[in-house]
Amino acid sequence: MSKSSSAAETIRPHSSAVVDGNDRAAARAMLRAVGFTDADFKKPQIAVASSPSDMTPCNVHLGDLSDHARQGIAAAGGKPVYFNTITVTDGISMGTQGMRYSLVSREVIADSIETAVAAEGFDGLVAIGGCDKNMPGAMIAIARLNRPAVFIYGGTILPGFTADDCDHKKPLDVVSVFEAVGKHAKGELDDAGLKAVEAAAIPGPGSCGGMYTANTMASAIEVLGMSLPNSSAQLAVSEAKRQDCERAGEAVMNMLRKGIRPSDILTRKAFENAITVCIALGGSTNLILHLLAIAHAAKVSLSLEDFREIGERVPLLADLKPFGKYNMSHLVRIGGIRPMMKLLLDRGMLHGDCLTVTGETIAETLRDVQPYAAYPHEQDIIHPWEQPIKSSTHLRVLHGNLAPGGAVGKITGKEGLYFKGTAKVYEGEEDALKGILRGDVVKGDVVVIRNEGPCGGPGMREMLSPTSAVAGRGLIKDVALITDGRFSGGSHGFDVGHITPEAAKGGPIGIVRNGDLIEVDAVKNTISLLIPDDEYAARMAAYRPAPPKETRGVLAKYAALVATASEGAVTDKALAL
């Protein structure tokens, strides 16, 4: 083997098998038709996978960002090849049967990216995502493929303001609209007021503006080391984001030349770092679901217990929506998440030796990062270590006779740390929303929404509509909500989701009756159905889950394959046993 051919195989380990040699003439002929030249066949082929779509503001601009990523790859000596995958938008399908496809789309996206990259022999990958499921979906594919790759976050949206908010004191986002619906139902907001919020809340491209799931996952991916520094804290429509895309193209070529692969980056320590930072930022409960799934794809051991254990030593420091005051765009102005990472590193809370896509370690990328401006006189978004919003994690991992396999609560303390109330049971989200808007739910109730789990939904819908309706009706501190479904990153209140086993799998949430007492203790981390043991046993023995809702198509396949929420709701878990 010649030295030149050896070098080619080193930086073209996959594309060389597709386009080199006389026997590959047909493949080259196909590629010439899409713009390849003789010179291009000698370059590493780098896929640019994105999900541009007119379906949602989170993704509408991703085509433009893909162009900049391709420019960066070409300038660094690679041959960019673009393809797109699907996306769905939770903000539009929320509260409808269409929302059942949301979490399912994560697996479809992961499968489609893996399929295209592996089938066509790409040497590396730049993946661009802008919303809740295409981001973890892309990361699952990156972990499975284990080829040099960089993830690019599409960026956060700017806040909206109604016409009468001349001083811009009341920033709006999509959650503002959901909560306005509850206020309208209560009579606090008239039709014109609801329309004003609807028309102003989402002013342009970008992902939902609080520390909801998109910004949580963008932060997690940056801390994992799979995106460039500051990629998570840039506005969707900005020169900084365009430059981020171009640098990502250069970075993936650098990884290829240095032999850096995702498996070198996605280590157990890297996942611990991501959990730590996202707890301090006040991240979404979906962080747990998605990090478990990405870790599974990366063959890294991670469990609910890790989130509990790490969370007990990490304070909540960021006053960000949904439970706080500020949007991600405000955090961008004061430095994004990098100063938070540096703060945690300096306190020994991060593993500084973890590798990143830059080729440097986390500690090396943070060496010149300056701290946030002084609190509270110069900024009041990030609290100092000594004055946390909460001294330990808001993401509570709960167990008890209602959730033997675990559950996840998003409890900041603003709504209290303990709730005992009377069950009001609904067999699905739509019925619950109708009941809340009708006024059936009153102070002291525990709203139970079941048959919404990964299998039973199928698809594990988010309960943003019910939680926002509760907030809009002024019951945020007086009502708890539990479900075998999940919560949007925009949900806030005394909420517990991911209850495992789910009702469809014979879980105890299926035996709860109207009027039962339920206790949730976010200090002891317990969730309990307060009925006598013999009654509990009798109900469990008599319980028969409902038959599958779907018997054909993607939802039926998903329901048949999906693992529990406590295992990340992945669809290939059984294959690894």
Side-chain angles (χ1 to χ4, degrees):
M1 181 183 294
S2 69
K3 184 177 180 180
S4 60
S5 63
S6 176
E9 289 179 7
T10 300
I11 64 170
R12 298 174 54 236
H14 302 284
S15 64
S16 60
V18 175
V19 301
D20 289 2
N22 291 336
D23 61 326
R24 302 309 303 161
R28 293 194 298 273
M30 295 284 284
L31 290 169
R32 289 182 191 279
V34 296
F36 272 63
T37 66
D38 285 344
D40 291 330
F41 292 123
K42 300 176 183 178
K43 299 174 182 176
Q45 292 184 29
I46 308 298
V48 178
S50 185
S51 52
S53 170
D54 291 343
M55 291 165 58
T56 161
C58 312
N59 301 279
V60 69
H61 63 304
L62 297 190
D64 177 62
L65 297 186
S66 299
D67 289 340
H68 287 278
R70 283 186 274 183
Q71 292 171 23
I73 293 166
K79 174 58 179 176
V81 182
Y82 174 72
F83 70 88
N84 64 291
T85 184
I86 68 160
T87 193
V88 299
T89 173
D90 299 355
I92 295 172
S93 62
M94 194 77 70
T96 74
Q97 289 293 300
M99 185 64 189
R100 296 185 299 164
Y101 290 87
S102 172
L103 188 57
V104 176
S105 75
R106 185 190 73 181
E107 308 308 301
V108 176
I109 291 163
D111 291 350
S112 67
I113 294 176
E114 177 193 354
T115 299
V117 171
E120 299 302 311
F122 295 120
D123 301 303
L125 169 65
V126 172
I128 308 174
C131 63
D132 298 12
K133 307 311 171 304
N134 57 36
M135 300 170 69
M139 283 301 304
I140 290 169
I142 285 171
R144 289 178 187 167
L145 289 161
N146 200 27
R147 302 180 188 188
V150 177
F151 180 83
I152 300 171
Y153 176 42
T156 191
I157 198 171
L158 287 166
F161 301 94
T162 56
D164 60 357
D165 184 11
C166 301
D167 296 328
H168 288 184
K169 297 291 187 181
K170 299 176 181 178
L172 302 173
D173 58 24
V174 67
V175 177
S176 308
V177 187
F178 282 101
E179 294 186 356
V181 171
K183 292 178 181 178
H184 182 268
K186 190 180 179 182
E188 290 185 359
L189 197 64
D190 61 16
D191 290 352
L194 178 59
K195 178 68 177 297
V197 174
E198 172 193 325
I202 303 174
S207 298
C208 299
M211 190 49 69
Y212 309 147
T213 302
N215 282 315
T216 298
M217 290 311 302
S219 300
I221 293 167
E222 179 176 335
V223 181
L224 281 171
M226 289 305 305
S227 61
L228 294 177
N230 265 332
S231 184
S232 67
Q234 293 165 337
L235 299 177
V237 183
S238 67
E239 180 59 28
K241 180 48 65 182
R242 290 187 285 271
Q243 291 178 5
D244 181 47
C245 294
E246 292 175 14
R247 287 197 300 268
E250 179 183 357
V252 76
M253 289 296 295
N254 184 54
M255 292 175 71
L256 193 60
R257 293 183 176 112
K258 290 186 174 182
I260 299 172
R261 299 188 297 169
S263 58
D264 300 316
I265 298 171
L266 295 173
T267 63
R268 164 74 188 202
K269 287 182 177 180
F271 282 95
E272 291 177 357
N273 284 348
I275 294 168
T276 298
V277 174
C278 289
I279 287 172
L281 289 169
S284 163
T285 52
N286 283 317
L287 172 77
I288 297 178
L289 197 68
H290 296 323
L291 284 188
L292 287 172
I294 297 166
H296 169 71
K299 302 178 181 177
V300 170
S301 176
L302 197 69
S303 70
L304 279 181
E305 182 64 18
D306 295 313
F307 290 85
R308 187 205 63 77
E309 190 274 328
I310 293 171
E312 290 307 313
R313 59 177 185 264
V314 180
L316 172 58
L317 299 175
D319 191 15
L320 296 170
K321 288 186 174 184
F323 52 81
K325 185 163 53 172
Y326 293 104
N327 286 317
M328 189 69 179
S329 59
H330 297 106
L331 185 62
V332 170
R333 293 178 194 172
I334 65 167
I337 74 167
R338 306 295 290 175
M340 176 72 80
M341 293 172 66
K342 183 68 181 300
L343 167 67
L344 293 166
L345 177 69
D346 289 347
R347 288 189 166 269
M349 306 292 285
L350 293 188
H351 303 288
D353 58 342
C354 288
L355 189 63
T356 74
V357 293
T358 65
E360 295 185 313
T361 65
I362 285 285
E364 289 169 338
T365 67
L366 292 171
R367 58 181 170 261
D368 297 324
V369 172
Q370 298 301 305
Y372 292 116
Y375 176 93
H377 305 294
E378 297 178 56
Q379 63 84 24
D380 62 347
I381 301 172
I382 303 297
H383 287 227
W385 189 269
E386 298 78 13
Q387 300 176 50
I389 296 169
K390 190 173 184 291
S391 61
S392 62
T393 181
H394 61 297
L395 299 178
R396 310 307 295 185
V397 175
L398 311 173
H399 288 83
N401 70 349
L402 251 181
V408 176
K410 186 178 185 180
I411 302 170
T412 66
K414 290 187 176 182
E415 58 287 286
L417 297 172
Y418 176 88
F419 197 100
K420 183 164 74 173
T422 305
K424 194 149 285 181
V425 181
Y426 295 96
E427 305 291 346
E429 181 185 9
E430 288 89 350
D431 288 346
L433 181 60
K434 290 175 185 176
I436 294 165
L437 294 178
R438 263 196 319 262
D440 296 351
V441 174
V442 298
K443 181 177 180 180
D445 280 345
V446 178
V447 178
V448 179
I449 306 178
R450 63 191 179 199
N451 291 305
E452 290 288 3
C455 176
M460 202 180 182
R461 289 191 290 178
E462 292 179 342
M463 301 293 127
L464 180 58
S465 294
T467 58
S468 297
V470 166
R473 292 189 69 84
L475 295 168
I476 197 73
K477 294 183 178 180
D478 302 318
V479 167
L481 195 153
I482 70 171
T483 181
D484 52 9
R486 61 197 175 93
F487 292 107
S488 163
S491 293
H492 63 115
F494 208 99
D495 304 327
V496 179
H498 305 205
I499 288 179
T500 304
E502 59 176 293
K505 292 292 187 179
I509 190 172
I511 68 170
V512 179
R513 298 175 182 172
N514 284 320
D516 285 344
L517 277 180
I518 291 174
E519 178 188 64
V520 181
D521 191 324
V523 176
K524 294 180 180 178
N525 296 323
T526 58
I527 178 167
S528 306
L529 176 61
L530 301 180
I531 61 174
D533 290 347
D534 57 349
E535 174 69 10
Y536 181 95
R539 290 193 199 178
M540 287 298 294
Y543 179 58
R544 298 293 180 270
K549 295 177 183 175
E550 302 290 340
T551 58
R552 295 289 186 276
V554 66
L555 292 179
K557 289 190 287 185
Y558 183 84
L561 294 171
V562 69
T564 70
S566 295
E567 297 169 309
V570 298
T571 53
D572 60 353
K573 182 76 174 181
L575 303 179
L577 298 178

